[in-house]
Structures are given as C-alpha cells and as structure tokens.
Amino acid sequence: MDERKQFGKLKLLAPFAVTRQYAKKQTILFQGEIPRSVLLLRSGIVKVYGITADGDQRTVTLLTAGDIFPMSWVFGKSPICIYYFEAATDCTVLAVSREDYERTVAQQPSLKDQIFENYMSHYIAATMHVYALEHSYAQDKLIYILQYLVTRFAEKTSGNKIKIGLRLSHQDIAEMVGITRETAAVELHKLKLRGVIDYQRFTYSVDVAKLFRSERGDEFNEIHLENNDSTKKG
C-alpha cells in the first residue's frame, strides 16, 4: 500500500496539524474519551475495537493511511469515542483542531471528495465484516473475512497469489469474527491444505480465484475498495 498516495489531499490539513508518534500496541484513544482533535492517520495501521461484557476484545475495523478518526465524533454523531483506537503498528498521526478541519474541508472540494470516498469504502467494508459475522460456521466466517481483508489490503506478489498487506496473528483474525484463537487456527489450516491461503510469520497470501469462487459464493468478487489494480479479481 502506497501510504503517501493514500494520504493524498489530507496534506492540505498538514499546515494546521501537530504530528504525534505512537508505538505499536499504544492506545491512541480510549472508549468513552472526549476527543480534543480530529486525527489523521499519516502512516501505519490503527485497530478499532470494543470490549464485550465477557471481557473479550472484538475488532471493529482497521484504519490505514488517509483515514480520519474518531469517525462518530468527527461527524458530530457522538460526543465521545465509542471504541478504543490502538496502534497496530508504529503510527504517525496528525492532530487538527475541529475548527481548522471543518474550515479547510469547506474550502477544498477535492479534500471533501477524498473524505467521502474513504468513508464510502469504510461503509462497504463494514457491511462485508457484518456479513462474515452473520454466518454460523467458523470456516464461512473466515472465508468472508479473508475476502474483506483481500479487498481492502491486497498487495500484488509474483505468481497468482495476492498478499494481505497486514501482519495478522490467528488471534487477530479470531477477534474479527468472534471465534476462539484455537478454532481460527484449525480452520485456517484447513484452508491452507486446500490451497486457498498460505501463511508464515503472520503474513498471508491468498489464491484469489479459489477464495472468491469457492462453494461459499462470490458475492464480493467485483468490489474494489482501494484504487489498486492488484485488488481486481478477474
């Protein structure tokens, strides 16, 4: 993923911003916190998650360069953060006052267009994530969450496979679909034996033809959330 390209028109907000660095695993915002700035992700990956009544962590979404957060507060839908925001990798974040953000967006149509496109991608991704959660069987959940990950984070590699441009443990994937780490490990291994995926050291490569044209269906075969030719499924 080209983070500079993804950040794009958000550079128009840079003159009004304070740059902050967050180390991997560091919490950026807490659930229930009142934000003081609009945050722009310059580089890195941010995990957005909640905690269930049983104390289990559930991943809501992943943010990449060019994303703005916390979304509910930025759009005036909530006075507080409704989720936790944690640096999944080392991150660079720009903090801009709400006044500077709103003024610049109003003055720069190209910036507004990019923000709209980003949030439309997040909306589509959210529906894909929900679709994965709605399935009863663990392997179905994993097939659809892998389709989501390929669609959002694909990186072209040599050969016929696509690399998911994130380092993901079995626990990370399990948290996305509400299953145990052990179940995720077993079912992912089954997919590996079938040649749908391969993985080592938290890096996954996917045979897109097998993943999107499995017996589970190909509902998301033509969805492209990123402007990246490597995400196109032929």
Side-chain angles (χ1 to χ4, degrees):
M1 291 179 288
D2 187 338
E3 291 185 328
R4 183 175 298 180
K5 182 178 180 181
Q6 286 180 277
F7 194 71
K9 294 297 182 179
L10 268 66
K11 65 185 180 182
L12 295 169
L13 290 160
F16 313 108
V18 175
T19 301
R20 299 174 181 169
Q21 304 291 338
Y22 293 92
K24 181 179 179 180
K25 297 292 185 183
Q26 185 176 355
T27 300
I28 300 173
L29 290 169
F30 290 87
Q31 187 177 49
E33 180 177 345
I34 300 173
R36 289 177 286 184
S37 304
V38 177
L39 302 181
L40 322 174
L41 186 54
R42 177 79 199 210
S43 65
I45 298 168
V46 170
K47 179 169 71 173
V48 185
Y49 69 92
I51 304 293
T52 69
D54 295 327
D56 296 323
Q57 188 176 123
R58 292 288 180 260
T59 300
V60 176
T61 191
L62 298 168
L63 307 180
T64 56
D67 284 329
I68 297 170
F69 64 101
M71 294 76 79
S72 57
W73 180 80
V74 172
F75 283 99
K77 301 302 181 183
S78 173
I80 60 173
C81 292
I82 58 178
Y83 299 115
Y84 293 91
F85 292 78
E86 178 186 280
T89 65
D90 292 346
C91 293
T92 300
V93 175
L94 304 187
V96 181
S97 73
R98 199 168 196 165
E99 293 75 15
D100 286 333
Y101 170 80
E102 291 177 348
R103 185 187 67 253
T104 307
V105 169
Q107 294 173 348
Q108 300 288 346
S110 60
L111 174 59
K112 185 182 294 185
D113 289 344
Q114 179 176 329
I115 293 170
F116 173 81
E117 290 293 333
N118 286 357
Y119 279 103
M120 181 54 66
S121 293
H122 274 289
Y123 169 77
I124 296 170
T127 63
M128 294 176 72
H129 195 166
V130 170
Y131 193 65
L133 290 167
E134 286 297 313
H135 285 75
S136 300
Y137 297 104
Q139 189 162 123
D140 290 351
K141 290 176 181 283
L142 291 173
I143 284 174
Y144 284 110
I145 205 65
L146 286 167
Q147 289 186 359
Y148 155 72
L149 290 169
V150 166
T151 304
R152 272 214 77 198
F153 304 106
E155 292 182 358
K156 185 65 177 177
T157 61
S158 58
N160 298 321
K161 291 190 175 181
I162 293 294
K163 176 184 174 183
I164 295 174
L166 302 173
R167 287 176 58 82
L168 295 165
S169 67
H170 289 166
Q171 182 64 38
D172 291 329
I173 294 176
E175 288 174 1
M176 291 183 182
V177 290
I179 60 178
T180 66
R181 183 193 63 79
E182 292 78 11
T183 298
V186 169
E187 297 300 331
L188 286 168
H189 184 64
K190 291 178 182 178
L191 292 174
K192 184 176 183 178
L193 291 177
R194 288 168 50 194
V196 177
I197 62 172
D198 193 16
Y199 54 85
Q200 54 183 330
R201 296 184 179 181
F202 308 114
T203 300
Y204 291 74
S205 58
V206 180
D207 186 318
V208 173
K210 290 183 179 180
L211 179 67
F212 281 85
R213 292 193 169 88
S214 69
E215 66 273 18
R216 303 303 194 271
D218 58 358
E219 292 92 334
F220 306 126
N221 186 46
E222 299 301 329
I223 291 179
H224 314 302
L225 298 189
E226 301 294 343
N227 186 20
N228 184 335
D229 289 341
S230 67
T231 64
K232 294 182 180 179
K233 277 69 74 177

